[in-house]
């Protein structure tokens, strides 16, 4: 446990560390970072993981902090806890995410896919801005998906119950991850901080498990039959590469798959849409950027 303020050595934060890709990233990065902070909702799984990693890496400080990223108050609480623990964040991996087969709202009354996959990370990133810029060259990694390419241009970012389309909701949330990545990179020209996005591949993880066993099995089967399912460890490789490779210092505003920069959809490169998403995200999160 981190009982005191940490500041002298690099700090890494991983969201959605209790399962799948995030868990595999945490395991891979525990040997690279002296301070590792894992975020997730499930206290039992989170503490089990941080305790297990702490036993394997006795020289590192590894801590789990519980919090719900779909809730604006939850994110504010997480950011507050993080700022109390550290004055620097060298690596922020915005990984947590989910797809919802049926329309659901967050505790703030916002469509849950968009609230979880985009707004929570948007708010967390901006609330951690000071510790991010306090690090010598922070890296920010947003976990998107190739599913972003299926997104159509949204009239409104928040779907409502009557117009809910689970595939579009997910695709647009992953498009939002990319628009946010590129907009942030444009807003920090010449900064030592870098921001990149990535697609992990089709990963056999807990993804879609929240929709029930049948939906989860269908998801695994659909990708398994195409021969494209990979393990969480392999899905985590591009994140570890983006997090640790010295040759990537200063390289920002790109989208990666299998440790290589790849093109993303035309819509994801629409600067007007990125600015509009930014303004809408500021409005919905109530961020005061003055
Ligand atoms: N699996 C794939 O094929 C695939 C493909 C492309 C992109 N991705 C992306 O990869 C990322 C990780 O997914 P995964 O495959 O590792 O899925 P996973 O095994 O379901 O892990 C998702 C993680 O996010 C956490 N999470 C979900 N909702 C949250 C919330 N409201 N607040 C806090 N944490 C929350 C989960 O916590 P709980 O365990 O408490 O639910 C879990 O730790 C996601 O962003 C996903 O969109 C996955």
């Amino acid at each position: 446990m981190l009982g005191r303020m940490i500041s002298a050595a690099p700090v890494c934060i991983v969201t959605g560390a209790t399962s799948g890709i995030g868990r595999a990233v945490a395991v891979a990065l525990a040997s690279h970072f002296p301070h590792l902070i894992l975020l997730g909702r499930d206290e039992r799984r989170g503490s089990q993981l941080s305790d297990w990693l702490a036993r394997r890496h006795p020289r590192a400080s590894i801590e789990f902090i519980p919090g719900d990223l779909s809730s604006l108050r939850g994110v504010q609480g997480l950011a507050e806890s993080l700022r109390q623990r550290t004055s620097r964040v060298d690596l922020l991996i915005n990984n947590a995410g989910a797809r919802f087969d049926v329309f659901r709202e967050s505790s703030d009354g916002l469509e849950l896919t968009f609230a979880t996959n985009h707004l929570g990370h948007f708010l967390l990133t901006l609330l951690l801005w000071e510790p991010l810029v306090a690090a010598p060259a922070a890296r920010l990694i947003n976990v998107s998906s190739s599913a972003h390419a299926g997104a159509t241009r949204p009239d409104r970012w928040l779907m409502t119950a009557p117009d809910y389309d689970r595939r579009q909701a997910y695709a647009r949330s992953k498009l939002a991850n990319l628009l946010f990545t590129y907009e942030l990179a444009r807003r920090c020209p010449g900064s030592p901080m870098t921001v990149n996005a990535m697609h992990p591949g089709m990963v056999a993880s807990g993804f879609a498990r929240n929709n029930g066993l049948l939906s989860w099995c269908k998801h695994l089967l659909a990708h398994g039959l195409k021969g494209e399912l990979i393990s969480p460890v392999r899905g985590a490789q591009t994140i570890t590469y983006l997090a640790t490779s010295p040759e990537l210092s200063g390289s920002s505003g790109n989208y990666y798959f299998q440790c290589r920069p790849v093109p993303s959809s035309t819509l994801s490169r629409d600067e007007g849409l990125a600015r509009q998403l930014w303004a809408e995200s500021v409005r919905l999160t109530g961020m005061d950027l003055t």
Side-chain angles (χ1 to χ4, degrees):
M1 287 285 279
L2 304 171
R4 59 196 156 74
M5 186 85 166
I6 49 179
S7 57
V11 176
C12 164
I13 299 172
V14 184
T15 76
T18 51
S19 173
I21 299 162
R23 190 183 195 284
V25 165
V27 173
L29 291 182
S31 53
H32 291 269
F33 281 84
H35 299 294
L36 183 60
I37 305 180
L38 313 176
L39 307 185
R41 283 182 301 191
D42 189 317
E43 230 170 321
R44 187 184 55 82
R45 274 189 283 138
S47 303
Q48 272 175 2
L49 176 62
S50 60
D51 291 350
W52 178 71
L53 283 174
R55 283 196 297 277
R56 290 183 66 177
H57 303 277
R59 291 162 67 93
S61 70
I62 300 172
E63 183 181 13
F64 173 75
I65 305 178
D68 184 349
L69 279 166
S70 73
S71 149
L72 299 178
R73 285 189 65 177
V75 178
Q76 283 156 359
L78 275 173
E80 191 49 44
S81 302
L82 289 163
R83 283 197 308 248
Q84 280 169 8
R85 281 161 174 84
T86 180
S87 56
R88 64 186 277 179
V89 173
D90 298 74
L91 176 62
L92 173 61
I93 302 173
N94 287 325
N95 160 75
R99 195 184 74 191
F100 300 94
D101 282 355
V102 293
F103 177 82
R104 286 179 61 191
E105 285 182 347
S106 69
S107 53
D108 304 293
L110 307 172
E111 191 282 308
L112 196 53
T113 327
F114 189 69
T116 307
N117 297 359
H118 168 65
L119 281 180
H121 287 123
F122 175 84
L123 184 58
L124 183 69
T125 304
L126 294 199
L127 291 176
L128 293 179
W129 198 249
E130 269 183 41
L132 280 166
V133 294
R139 294 186 183 191
L140 178 58
I141 301 168
N142 292 324
V143 178
S144 179
S145 168
S146 60
H148 83 273
T152 54
R153 179 181 287 274
D155 299 329
R156 289 173 286 110
W157 282 100
L158 281 176
M159 286 186 182
T160 56
D163 67 9
Y164 189 67
D165 173 334
R166 69 190 171 109
R167 286 187 201 283
Q168 269 307 307
Y170 181 69
R172 285 179 186 176
S173 74
K174 293 288 133 181
L175 170 68
N177 294 155
L178 280 164
L179 290 165
F180 173 48
T181 301
Y182 300 149
E183 181 63 17
L184 202 52
R186 280 190 291 272
R187 284 174 185 240
C188 315
S191 160
M193 185 172 83
T194 61
V195 48
N196 290 293
M198 57 80 67
H199 166 57
M202 294 305 166
V203 180
S205 63
F207 189 75
R209 182 75 185 83
N210 59 299
N211 298 306
L213 196 58
L214 188 63
S215 179
W216 184 49
C217 290
K218 273 187 182 166
H219 168 75
L220 292 178
L221 204 63
H223 295 297
L225 287 174
K226 288 190 217 160
E228 56 188 18
L229 264 192
I230 58 171
S231 70
V233 170
R234 273 192 64 198
Q237 276 170 0
T238 299
I239 300 177
T240 311
Y241 168 73
L242 290 172
T244 59
S245 294
E247 71 266 24
L248 289 180
S249 67
S251 174
S252 195
N254 292 309
Y255 173 56
Y256 287 80
F257 175 48
Q258 293 179 338
C259 302
R260 285 193 204 94
V262 290
S264 60
S265 70
T266 306
L267 200 52
S268 74
R269 290 285 179 189
D270 185 318
E271 294 188 19
L273 189 61
R275 283 194 296 274
Q276 186 266 333
L277 171 69
W278 187 284
E280 182 65 350
S281 306
V282 166
R283 187 183 75 77
L284 290 168
T285 55
M287 261 312 278
D288 182 1
L289 294 180
T290 54

